[in-house]
Amino acid sequence: MKKLLVILAAAGMLFAMSSCSKTCTCRYYVDGKEDATMTPDEFEVGMGKEYKNCSDVQANFDVLNLSYNETTKSGVKCE
């Protein structure tokens, strides 16, 4: 029984330490079209990264007043 408990604890530690990260791409738009002069920015998001998800990255652009505006179809949109 103790061996099984040790094995389960080790498996749990490995699972907890593994990170699920993905890439969040932020594109720049002007009047509904992607701005060809701006290269899309890519951010690694997930456990152990600076941002936990794409909405955290988007919030950073919102603070800089670069948020995507649905009315004018302009700004930065992160997905």
Side-chain angles (χ1 to χ4, degrees):
M1 190 65 162
K2 287 183 182 181
K3 289 180 184 177
L4 180 62
L5 184 59
V6 170
I7 291 171
L8 288 174
M13 290 288 287
L14 287 174
F15 180 74
M17 293 175 72
S18 67
S19 67
C20 289
S21 64
K22 71 172 204 165
T23 302
C24 181
T25 304
C26 298
R27 291 182 166 75
Y28 299 83
Y29 292 90
V30 176
D31 295 327
K33 296 179 184 170
E34 189 171 346
D35 189 348
T37 63
M38 300 291 290
T39 304
D41 291 323
E42 293 186 347
F43 298 91
E44 287 291 321
V45 296
M47 287 180 53
K49 304 295 182 192
E50 184 178 355
Y51 301 104
K52 291 182 182 177
N53 51 44
C54 283
S55 62
D56 289 347
V57 178
Q58 184 71 54
N60 189 45
F61 284 103
D62 294 347
V63 168
L64 298 172
N65 291 326
L66 296 173
S67 60
Y68 186 75
N69 184 321
E70 286 291 336
T71 305
T72 62
K73 306 282 190 216
S74 298
V76 180
K77 190 173 189 179
C78 300
E79 301 174 310

